[in-house]
Amino acid sequence: MKNSEQRIIDGLNEEQREVVTAQRQNILVLAGAGTGKTRVLVSRIAYLVEHCGVDSNRILAVTFTNKAAREMRERLIGLLGEYSVRRLWAYTFHTASSHILRNFAEEAGLTRNFTIIDTSDQLALVKRVMQDLNLPADICVNGIRYNSRNYLQKIMDEKSRGHRPGMEGSSILPCFYDVYALYQTRCDKSDQVDFEELILRTCELIESNPQVRHYIRLKFQEILVDEFQDTSSLQYRWLKLVSGIENLDPGKHPANVLIVGDDDQSIYGWRGAAVENMFYFQKEFSPVKLVKLVQNYRSTKAILSNANSLIKNNSKHVAEKTLITRNPDATMVKLMESYDSSDEADEIAKIIRKLIDNLKKDPSEIAVLYRTNAQSRMIEKAMVEYGVDYNIYGGARFFDREEIKNTLAYLRLIVNPEDNISFNRIVNVPSRKIGKVTLGKIEALRREFGISMFKAAEMYALKNKSRSLQNFIELIHVFSARVAESPKNMDDIVRFLESVIEDSGLGTYYREKSAMDDADSSNDRFGNIEELISDISGRDYDELSDQGFDNAGEVLEDGKEISKSRNTDDNSVPENKKMKYTIADFIQIYLSSAALMPSSELLKSEEDSAVNLMTIHCSKGLEFEVVIIAGFEKGLLPLERYSSIKTDQNAHIEEERRLAYVAITRAKELLFLSCANWHSSYDGQYPTGPSPFTYELDSCSIDTDMNFLDA
């Protein structure tokens, strides 16, 4: 029988074992595509617990997606057991920040029931702020039109740089800092936090509060960060603060930090990712052990040969590396050239038809990748003509559907009556005939007294006979009282949710809407609400306990008590001291989870056996037996539209080359690179031709022979 260490390292290659069994120190793992980094991370955590004596409750693993965190937990259960894994912190930056802020809510200027608002709610708030500042919905500056989305993006950009409204710089957007300041004031008064605020406020909390900083420093002994090349400057600042390398208390040692990343796969510069963070880490966390993972377990030699040949043309590398594989070489990479984009779409559909019919390929293992969403239109049309089932990976989130957002808005208002966005969303859903005049008067009261919309509505209802408004207020009061109760089991929560849906009128409203929809409609509105209830009741709420900070080994040296808002961990508190979770606690965890589900984790499909269509950005982290890259041509890859913007054009080309590299390395067995010589647009056709990246590929492992498809 294998001992525990052998069980952990069994099957790992030499470089992987070097990472897993390294002494406790700062480590940079340069992990190429398909080199098994997830297995290395999981094995490293198991090794720290089993052989280095690290309590799993002292380990923080930071991933970029909830899916990756779940996968990590699932793999660890097999190595460590459920108890240890339940105590482990394996979260995204945003979720980890949410847990820290809820534990130290008072110190952060929040309540434990603060609401996390998603992009659509942020946009609604910005629109209202602009209206209140008498700014038009569309503003023209130097012939360019800007709207609320531009203001929201700029606010998020400022936050990602750690800038508050008072730290004024320059902006082409008129009255931008007035919009930003009022937006943030409204969020603070409503006890609401947006995505970037989660991270920024956590940074500010640790920087400004010595007790919290000391407490967190004691909490985490080992920190592991996945996909480090995608971190922003604010996330890097967060890591330095949480690890203790920044503002370290005298005589204290920082946590050991292991980062895993691939500078060749850094493709999110447009949203703040800074590949430079990998270079900063080597300097600021020195000494740092560097280990390169280059053994690829995914792709054929022909595919990797082209990936290596392409990416070596970039000048900025943390360290040189060349991916290798022991996979048997198979078909060469195929280059396809069509007359125009319409012909290209037909060729792609025709090839997929042959892959399915002749080579018996599973449709779900085929992906068509493209640089821009606009490219999918012709491809979809061709798919229909050739009878190929397909799914668009990257459609609307389940949580963005109208009926789901309205149901969640009721729950948000019930647990946080200060939530103005939710009040405005559902006060008239279903219709209560509360007119614009009434809502305008409530809004006026809100402004005059600086209170929430719900409190203003209560004030208005005292002096005005609006039975429908009074009924709405009473409904929220009744359910706000009920959420303070402790459920005996999940059935109690289900019954509560069903009461909210029926008593609010949402049930009847969406049953009628579902009945009115076309028979062929795939969107069963009430069915979606039922699915939501099922999801809430089926969740693993162990997160309720492991989001806390336990007392074991963490008593402050000066004996001072941290805020009473801090939750304690079930595992460390005597049975008679355990907190009784309320319905509100369960709902709050779910609401946070829903809000923190990013666009990269959208519902993948409604058809399991269907070809996947997606942008290259959406494909990051995925793999398929067959990959077809559409539009591998001039103007699309690299994308030309940014060339007129005053930016570092070489940096842009290098990121586009990394994007092409990511697309190529998604393929396991077959890779097709497709281009058109002419591209159609609203103003006619213009010549394109092969991407300049084509001439950087390995010509010895590319051909145009498609005869194998007719086998």
Side-chain angles (χ1 to χ4, degrees), residues 533-557:
I533 295 176
S534 176
D535 191 38
I536 294 175
S537 62
R539 283 292 178 100
D540 180 359
Y541 285 90
D542 279 346
E543 190 175 355
L544 277 169
S545 58
D546 69 16
Q547 70 173 322
F549 290 79
D550 66 13
N551 293 324
E554 295 186 334
V555 179
L556 291 173
E557 292 173 1

Side-chain angles (χ1 to χ4, degrees), residues 487-672:
K488 296 176 183 177
N489 50 46
M490 267 300 160
D491 288 342
D492 286 349
I493 294 178
V494 170
R495 281 190 287 271
F496 172 81
L497 295 171
E498 290 173 342
S499 296
V500 171
I501 291 164
E502 296 306 327
D503 293 356
S504 67
L506 284 179
T508 300
Y509 180 63
Y510 282 114
R511 271 190 288 265
E512 291 176 353
K513 273 206 163 191
S514 294
M516 292 171 61
D517 284 341
D518 293 337
D520 294 334
S521 173
S522 62
N523 186 24
D524 177 0
R525 295 175 184 272
F526 186 73
N528 290 337
I529 293 177
E530 291 180 316
E531 179 64 28
L532 176 67
I533 295 176
S534 176
D535 191 38
I536 294 175
S537 62
R539 283 292 178 100
D540 180 359
Y541 285 90
D542 279 346
E543 190 175 355
L544 277 169
S545 58
D546 69 16
Q547 70 173 322
F549 290 79
D550 66 13
N551 293 324
E554 295 186 334
V555 179
L556 291 173
E557 292 173 1
D558 58 9
K560 292 181 180 178
E561 182 184 2
I562 287 289
S563 167
K564 292 179 181 178
S565 69
R566 178 173 58 83
N567 186 26
T568 52
D569 190 335
D570 274 357
N571 298 314
S572 306
V573 185
E575 187 68 31
N576 62 343
K577 297 285 187 181
K578 286 186 180 180
M579 172 183 174
K580 287 186 177 180
Y581 296 119
T582 65
I583 293 175
D585 291 320
F586 285 95
I587 289 176
Q588 190 62 63
I589 289 295
Y590 187 84
L591 291 172
S592 296
S593 173
L596 290 169
M597 186 69 71
S599 58
S600 59
E601 295 186 67
L602 307 173
L603 293 179
K604 181 177 178 182
S605 69
E606 295 177 5
E607 258 316 324
D608 288 332
S609 186
V611 174
N612 302 279
L613 308 186
M614 68 188 76
T615 64
I616 299 173
H617 283 101
C618 273
S619 74
K620 182 80 175 348
L622 303 176
E623 59 181 35
F624 303 92
E625 285 187 23
V626 182
V627 169
I628 302 173
I629 305 177
F632 201 82
E633 63 194 51
K634 286 190 294 185
L636 281 175
L637 196 62
L639 195 61
E640 207 167 64
R641 66 179 180 183
Y642 296 120
S643 61
S644 61
I645 297 177
K646 293 180 180 179
T647 186
D648 185 342
Q649 186 63 11
N650 185 60
H652 163 66
I653 294 297
E654 294 215 345
E655 177 150 328
E656 291 289 303
R657 187 178 284 113
R658 292 195 292 269
L659 194 60
Y661 175 83
V662 166
I664 289 171
T665 53
R666 298 312 93 198
K668 294 196 288 187
E669 295 181 9
L670 287 172
L671 174 64
F672 297 82

